[in-house]
Amino acid sequence: MDILYSREELATQRNTWKENNMSIGFVPTMGALHQGHISLVELSLKECDKTIVSIFVNPTQFNDPNDFLKYPSTLDHDLELLMNAGCDAVFVPTVDIMYPQGTTENKIHIELGYLGTCMEGLKRPGHFDGVVQVVHLLLEMVKPDVLYLGAKDIQQVRVITKLVETMRLPLKIITGATVREYDGLAMSSRNMRLDKQQRKVASELYRVLNEISQQYGLTDPSVLTKSYIELLNQTPGIRVDYIEIVDFQTFMPLKMWNKKGENLVCVAAWVGDIRLIDNVLF
Ligand code: AMP
């Protein structure tokens, strides 16, 4: 597996692959890798000739400086996981390599409409601007044929899809299913920061999402949302940021149920000072 640090090394690698008519699958990450990330790498390995992963903790997408400072970093372990998975190359840039003219350069504006101002867009001001900025830069450098994203960050998937459509980038987006721990907790790099007690209560998030999905067609979405926010807030150690039942495409809150398979329930909650998100499509 090649470890690429500079833009030049990355360009040489991808150009060599392209000259040999190879398809390139790309998995952007912020490191502290787990099986959720590796599942995307495995999808790419199956479908593309070459697979490249980026590891870059992008400062511009953190609205909370504390979250950025405490974001876990496990580079040696990450490289070992990627090597064992059979990944072809990993791009590990520094902030200076990504933003040589400073982090305020290379900002692009994508009209996100409601998608940009609901849920994560509302609760984390500037977050999606940073995501769009870094993903656009990475896509310009890697120029992949296929981009692999995780359903765990479903709103991010929609935002990046909008970026790709707006900029008319010639690539396909594949969304991989959320990989979960034995008790249903969605795998996340931030889970590493949970202590034993927090780790135990964190599985309530998925349990609640599942319970809500099982009430499909029985109780009105807005009534369900309200009662489950109250219920989850009663769990010691958990503070709900939002629970929303929305249309799977527009992300508008549902007043009435959609057809089966087109309802999405999303949660964001604080477990101590760690903010976790999850969602279930039903
Ligand atoms: P991150 O390192 O958190 O920025 O995530 C990098 C990519 O991995 C994103 O496309 C995430 O949606 C995806 N991802 C993170 N956690 C999971 C998971 N538990 N299952 C599937 N994909 C995931």
Side-chain angles (χ1 to χ4, degrees), residues 5-73:
Y5 296 97
S6 68
R7 288 178 181 237
E8 292 72 25
E9 284 170 319
L10 173 62
T12 306
Q13 177 67 277
R14 83 154 298 280
N15 290 342
T16 309
W17 288 338
K18 279 288 128 192
E19 279 156 19
N20 289 290
N21 287 320
M22 289 170 161
S23 60
I24 301 175
F26 176 44
V27 184
T29 81
M30 297 205 296
L33 301 185
H34 48 68
Q35 196 49 41
H37 299 109
I38 299 301
S39 70
L40 299 177
V41 172
E42 285 166 352
L43 281 179
S44 174
L45 286 169
K46 253 189 231 149
E47 296 170 350
C48 299
D49 297 319
K50 293 290 175 187
T51 294
I52 177 158
V53 169
S54 64
I55 296 179
F56 178 61
V57 185
N58 174 37
T60 73
Q61 72 188 70
F62 285 83
N63 54 309
D64 175 358
N66 203 35
D67 188 27
F68 176 59
L69 287 175
K70 292 191 174 169
Y71 202 83
S73 170

Side-chain angles (χ1 to χ4, degrees), residues 163-270:
L163 162 70
V164 166
E165 285 169 2
T166 308
M167 305 305 286
R168 296 174 194 270
L169 302 177
L171 61 91
K172 188 167 89 168
I173 294 180
I174 298 282
T175 308
T178 301
V179 178
R180 300 180 178 283
E181 301 285 357
Y182 67 96
D183 59 356
L185 174 66
M187 288 192 180
S188 164
S189 306
R190 291 184 176 87
N191 293 353
M192 285 179 198
R193 295 188 45 223
L194 300 168
D195 67 26
K196 215 169 157 193
Q197 183 55 24
Q198 289 170 332
R199 171 63 190 80
K200 215 166 142 191
V201 297
S203 62
E204 281 299 298
L205 269 59
Y206 181 60
R207 203 185 61 73
V208 159
L209 293 183
N210 251 331
E211 266 193 38
I212 291 175
S213 71
Q214 280 156 17
Q215 313 241 8
Y216 170 70
L218 300 175
T219 315
D220 277 356
S222 55
V223 176
L224 264 185
T225 307
K226 211 166 154 265
S227 57
Y228 273 98
I229 290 174
E230 277 172 23
L231 188 92
L232 194 53
N233 269 331
Q234 280 164 21
T235 310
I238 295 188
R239 187 162 48 86
V240 176
D241 210 0
Y242 63 77
I243 294 179
E244 291 205 24
I245 303 172
V246 301
D247 178 89
F248 79 127
Q249 269 167 340
T250 64
F251 284 60
M252 295 288 273
L254 291 183
K255 293 199 176 70
M256 290 187 313
W257 291 109
N258 276 346
K259 281 196 294 196
K260 250 202 147 104
E262 299 185 355
N263 308 275
L264 184 70
V265 57
C266 302
V267 64
W270 292 91

